[in-house]
Amino acid sequence: MSDPVTLPADAPHIPVLLDEVLDALAIQPGETHVDGTFGAGGYTRAMLGRGAKVVAFDRDPDAIANGQALVAAAPGLTLIHREFSSLDQELDTRVDGVVLDIGVSSMQLDQADRGFSFQGDGPLDMRMAQEGESAGDFLNTADEAAIADVLYHYGEEPRSRRVAQAIVAARPLTRTGELAAVVRRALGHRPHDKKDPATRTFQAIRIHVNRELDELAEGLAAAERALKPGGRLVVVTFHSLEDRMVKRFFRERAGQMPGGSRHLPQQAAAAAPSFAQVGKAVRAGEAELARNPRARSATLRFATRTESPAWSAGSNGLPGGELSQELGV
């Protein structure tokens, strides 16, 4: 049994569905768990508090730098500067649990100079790893059709062509405020609208720049390889594209293949089920929604690893690195 850990008291925020995540992980003292999306360390702190050893990952150098105080205070914590899709490559042994909190973190959204949000003006960046192509690079160089495809597939924006045309006409764009204004003019915006029309566009560009859906597909497979029999995989998503991927992954890995019809025979499982005890979708209750509006879009799904080998790459129809081609972008 691990000794209690005294942690720094200045945690920046409480992550969404924290109690539900801990219930799904069912941590026993001395177990080893992975926090694939460290962020501000909310899940990691709670896991350490339950007596787990934690290996945490993040591709954002700011998250790694800000987490060093927690690393110094918690001997049971290892913090690794890599994307979660590579977690199985960094582990020396199979683990008891993995949690993935998908998408942009509150810490990233709240910093205008990171360029993730249209709520405050900042550079058109949006890069989680702070390297590679930025949002501005993409929007100022891609052709109109490519921009429209990204907005349609990753933002589910029904008027993607109109928005893409407006973006190209307004180039060069360098600030989030400029982009938000262009989208609002293209789609029409009233100050009292419940949802800002720029929401879908910002989501789509961020997902594209960071390869978020490919990263999720690869990360789910990496977690499958990393978990020991009886280990738990817990995933929190924030929009329908992510949630559909996770739901499909768990169903197929658990052998719950789509039923057949007169026109299409029932599909056969590609391999023996690698997950079981797939839980129902969990969403935030009224108390959490009252204190944390971001939780409104959160969905938690979880399942337990079986003794069967991990499936081979591509056997679920969502191979890592090929999801963009499947979506047509």
Side-chain angles (χ1 to χ4, degrees), residues 8 36 40 47 52 66 69 95 97-99 113 168 170 177 195-196 224 226-227 230 242 264 267 273 282 304 311:
M47 293 154 69
N66 293 334
V95 297
V98 175
V99 59
D113 61 350
V168 171
K195 186 174 184 179
D196 193 301
E224 177 190 28
L227 284 165
E242 298 167 341
L264 188 67
Q267 298 179 31
V282 178
T304 301
W311 287 23

Side-chain angles (χ1 to χ4, degrees), residues 33 57 92 131 170 244 267 307 321:
H33 289 254
F57 292 79
D92 296 329
E131 61 184 15
R244 289 199 297 267
Q267 298 179 31
E307 295 183 356

Side-chain angles (χ1 to χ4, degrees), residues 168-209:
V168 171
R171 296 195 301 206
L173 295 168
T174 61
R175 308 288 295 180
T176 57
E178 293 174 336
L179 175 61
V182 167
V183 177
R184 290 166 185 153
R185 286 195 299 269
L187 299 181
H189 176 53
R190 294 170 296 183
H192 300 295
D193 286 347
K194 188 174 181 179
K195 186 174 184 179
D196 193 301
T199 302
R200 293 189 181 95
T201 292
F202 271 70
Q203 172 187 298
I205 297 167
R206 189 201 81 221
I207 289 173
H208 169 73
V209 166

Side-chain angles (χ1 to χ4, degrees), residues 42 44-45 70 75 91 93 131 138 142 151 172 178 190 204 225 232 243 254 256 295 306 313 324-325:
T44 288
R45 288 170 175 268
L70 185 58
L91 298 171
T93 185
E131 61 184 15
F138 170 66
L151 301 186
E178 293 174 336
R190 294 170 296 183
R225 294 189 294 268
R232 284 79 65 192
D243 183 53
Q256 300 171 8
T306 69
S324 295
Q325 291 90 323

Side-chain angles (χ1 to χ4, degrees), residues 64-88:
I64 298 299
N66 293 334
Q68 294 310 307
L70 185 58
V71 172
L77 171 60
T78 301
L79 183 55
I80 298 175
H81 184 197
R82 287 198 67 178
E83 63 279 357
F84 62 76
S85 60
S86 63
L87 65 89
D88 62 315

Side-chain angles (χ1 to χ4, degrees), residues 12 16-17 30 41 58 84 119 141 154 220 263 277 280 311:
V16 300
L17 297 171
D58 209 293
F84 62 76
Q119 301 294 344
T141 60
Y154 290 163
L220 292 170
H263 309 289
Q277 301 176 29
K280 294 182 179 180
W311 287 23

Side-chain angles (χ1 to χ4, degrees), residues 122-313:
L124 266 175
D125 194 323
M126 302 193 193
R127 297 172 298 175
M128 292 180 179
Q130 302 185 36
E131 61 184 15
E133 181 186 53
S134 70
D137 294 334
F138 170 66
L139 292 175
N140 288 318
T141 60
D143 62 42
E144 184 177 311
I147 295 172
D149 283 345
V150 165
L151 301 186
Y152 181 77
H153 290 291
Y154 290 163
E156 300 179 296
E157 172 54 69
R159 290 179 286 177
S160 59
R161 292 182 181 180
R162 178 193 292 265
V163 177
Q165 184 179 38
I167 288 172
V168 171
R171 296 195 301 206
L173 295 168
T174 61
R175 308 288 295 180
T176 57
E178 293 174 336
L179 175 61
V182 167
V183 177
R184 290 166 185 153
R185 286 195 299 269
L187 299 181
H189 176 53
R190 294 170 296 183
H192 300 295
D193 286 347
K194 188 174 181 179
K195 186 174 184 179
D196 193 301
T199 302
R200 293 189 181 95
T201 292
F202 271 70
Q203 172 187 298
I205 297 167
R206 189 201 81 221
I207 289 173
H208 169 73
V209 166
N210 294 290
R211 293 184 63 255
E212 290 182 37
L213 297 187
D214 285 327
E215 176 73 4
L216 174 56
E218 295 164 13
L220 292 170
E224 177 190 28
R225 294 189 294 268
L227 284 165
K228 64 176 61 172
R232 284 79 65 192
L233 174 56
V234 182
V235 188
V236 179
T237 60
F238 289 88
H239 59 76
S240 59
L241 292 174
E242 298 167 341
D243 183 53
R244 289 199 297 267
M245 287 180 60
V246 176
K247 182 178 180 180
R248 175 177 172 181
F249 176 85
F250 279 144
R251 282 187 171 180
E252 294 192 347
R253 293 300 209 258
Q256 300 171 8
M257 307 303 292
S261 68
R262 290 187 306 161
H263 309 289
L264 188 67
Q266 183 170 354
Q267 298 179 31
S274 57
F275 282 93
Q277 301 176 29
V278 179
K280 294 182 179 180
V282 178
R283 295 181 175 86
E286 292 183 6
E288 180 165 2
L289 291 175
R291 68 175 181 267
N292 186 0
R294 182 174 180 249
R296 187 172 303 281
S297 58
T299 301
L300 181 153
R301 295 185 186 273
F302 63 97
T304 301
R305 189 71 170 84
T306 69
E307 295 183 356
S308 300
W311 287 23
S312 59

